[in-house]
Amino acid sequence: MTRTLPRLLSHLPANGVNSKVFQTRWAAKGLPTPVAASNSQQGCYWDVKKVDTKFGLDEKSRTKAMGVFYWKGKRITPENLPYEPIKGSLKYSWTVEKSLLPVSLNPEAGLKELAPVKEAEGEKSA
């Protein structure tokens, strides 16, 4: 399932601010990501700092995400900048740590968390 960055961020709390996102192709190439790395600080990811969504008259939203880029644990965004625009947000498929995915985007987690509802002994369906 391909998810653009704006769509992924829209499903996260606070529009994904302070979450670590990364392109799925990075994990496929074997690069350390927050999910694969034993220490999430050593992975390749964007730390989302600001999300700006604007709605136009044509009923389309335009989302710009800004963040700090880390590559193999090293900060790539210049120190003099608090954040920079996240590139490739519409071009590539993005994901976030599985623990942060809501049930709507992580169906496996939803199935494990749901338990069958037991009827009370006094209440029997007619």
Side-chain angles (χ1 to χ4, degrees):
M1 178 175 167
T2 45
R3 278 181 231 114
T4 62
L5 185 58
R7 179 161 188 257
L8 175 68
L9 294 176
S10 71
H11 290 288
L12 297 174
N15 281 337
V17 174
N18 293 325
S19 61
K20 295 176 183 175
V21 297
F22 57 95
Q23 296 175 14
T24 56
R25 65 190 187 118
W26 294 348
K29 290 181 179 182
L31 294 168
T33 59
V35 174
S38 58
N39 180 0
S40 65
Q41 300 298 324
Q42 298 300 316
C44 302
Y45 59 91
W46 281 93
D47 188 8
V48 181
K49 297 295 183 187
K50 182 180 177 184
V51 178
D52 184 24
T53 303
K54 295 182 180 177
F55 297 95
L57 296 175
D58 56 357
E59 298 181 12
K60 292 184 180 178
S61 65
R62 289 158 181 84
T63 302
K64 291 183 181 180
M66 276 69 76
V68 179
F69 184 46
Y70 291 90
W71 190 255
K72 297 181 181 177
K74 181 181 174 192
R75 181 182 167 130
I76 302 299
T77 301
E79 292 292 334
N80 61 341
L81 297 176
Y83 47 78
E84 63 179 314
I86 297 178
K87 298 169 185 77
S89 64
L90 295 174
K91 186 174 182 180
Y92 300 109
S93 177
W94 293 78
T95 193
V96 67
E97 293 179 77
K98 295 284 185 207
S99 61
L100 297 177
L101 276 177
V103 175
S104 62
L105 293 178
N106 190 10
E108 296 123 16
L111 294 175
K112 292 177 187 173
E113 293 172 8
L114 296 177
V117 178
K118 295 181 181 179
E119 291 183 19
E121 291 180 23
E123 298 176 14
K124 294 191 177 181
S125 57

